[in-house]
Amino acid sequence: MTFEEQFSRIQAMFSGSGCDIILLPPDEEKAKKVRSQKGDFSPLAAVLAGTGGVSVNGMLRLLGSGTVDFFERNQRLSETGMTVVAEDVFGGIFGLGRDGTLLYLAPDELAVEEFGENYDELLEFVCSPEDMERFYRDYVRECPGVLFDQLPADKGVSLYPPLWEQSEEKRSAAAVLITQLQDVEIGVMKKQAGDTDGGAEE
């Protein structure tokens, strides 16, 4: 498909969904570079070429070429071992494995798990109010009073105690830069990995 054909298909999916989906404006210079590619456009390439990111229910953001930046995220989060394609406000990170499988770095487990077969499944997920509600129900329960639709596109929800710590006490929530939230998670993962392999990392 051309960019126009693929992007029109995706826009139709968004328009027909019951979710609150907002297309963020792209950085035109970055988007033009993606649009200049030859050959068929994949769904991911079309999102990168046509948006600066896509906000879904204020909770999940597909990466684009702009505010929620695919290129910045993949440079900074290369240690995840996947091509990062989306993130949620709880610190979860969606990515593609080398074989194109859709993966999810869960903020409560701090582990990467299989989520679906490909990027198309992510698009189908974000267009389903039922799937979104079911998947995020437990996380939302930990964030009473948080107005997700009012969070800026560069912010996430930092919880204390954090989701990866089992706790019976009520968690407090604060809006922080999503990049800061992700960096803390990656740091904890690295520390845990270092502890597991006998402290090889200083």
Side-chain angles (χ1 to χ4, degrees):
M1 288 187 184
T2 65
F3 160 65
E4 290 78 10
E5 291 169 337
Q6 189 69 267
F7 194 55
S8 293
R9 182 185 76 88
I10 292 170
Q11 285 179 304
M13 289 179 64
F14 291 163
S15 297
S17 84
C19 294
D20 180 17
I21 297 181
I22 300 171
L23 274 60
L24 304 172
D27 177 309
E28 279 303 322
E29 185 175 342
K30 291 180 180 178
K32 282 181 181 177
K33 286 183 180 179
V34 180
R35 287 198 291 269
S36 68
Q37 75 171 45
K38 305 297 183 183
D40 288 344
F41 272 73
S42 66
L44 172 58
V47 171
L48 297 181
T51 78
V54 180
S55 173
V56 185
N57 291 348
M59 292 185 191
L60 186 152
R61 297 152 189 162
L62 303 178
L63 303 188
S65 300
T67 303
V68 192
D69 195 82
F70 172 86
F71 306 100
E72 183 276 334
R73 295 296 194 272
N74 278 284
Q75 182 175 12
R76 188 170 51 79
L77 300 173
S78 60
E79 290 170 287
T80 62
M82 54 188 181
T83 300
V84 180
V85 296
E87 61 196 24
D88 59 47
V89 297
F90 308 102
I93 300 171
F94 292 87
L96 300 176
R98 291 183 179 179
D99 60 355
T101 301
L102 182 63
L103 306 170
Y104 181 64
L105 194 164
D108 52 352
E109 301 290 340
L110 290 187
V112 175
E113 56 195 39
E114 188 169 327
F115 189 89
E117 291 187 3
N118 51 42
Y119 186 81
D120 269 332
E121 284 203 27
L122 180 59
L123 294 179
E124 293 170 6
F125 171 69
V126 304
C127 289
S128 170
E130 296 79 16
D131 289 347
M132 286 279 292
E133 192 279 331
R134 189 181 308 112
F135 186 77
Y136 285 115
R137 184 182 300 153
D138 290 343
Y139 294 163
V140 171
R141 192 179 295 130
E142 298 287 352
C143 306
V146 174
L147 302 176
F148 297 101
D149 60 347
Q150 294 185 17
L151 278 175
D154 63 345
K155 295 290 181 67
V157 179
S158 175
L159 293 172
Y160 185 82
L163 286 170
W164 58 85
E165 291 184 6
Q166 297 297 321
S167 176
E168 296 300 321
E169 66 179 286
K170 184 178 179 180
R171 301 181 198 272
S172 61
V176 300
L177 289 173
I178 192 70
T179 52
Q180 177 184 334
L181 180 57
Q182 292 168 345
D183 287 346
V184 168
E185 290 176 341
I186 298 300
V188 173
M189 289 178 67
K190 288 172 67 176
K191 184 177 185 301
Q192 290 177 344
D195 291 342
T196 300
D197 65 20
E201 184 173 44
E202 293 295 323

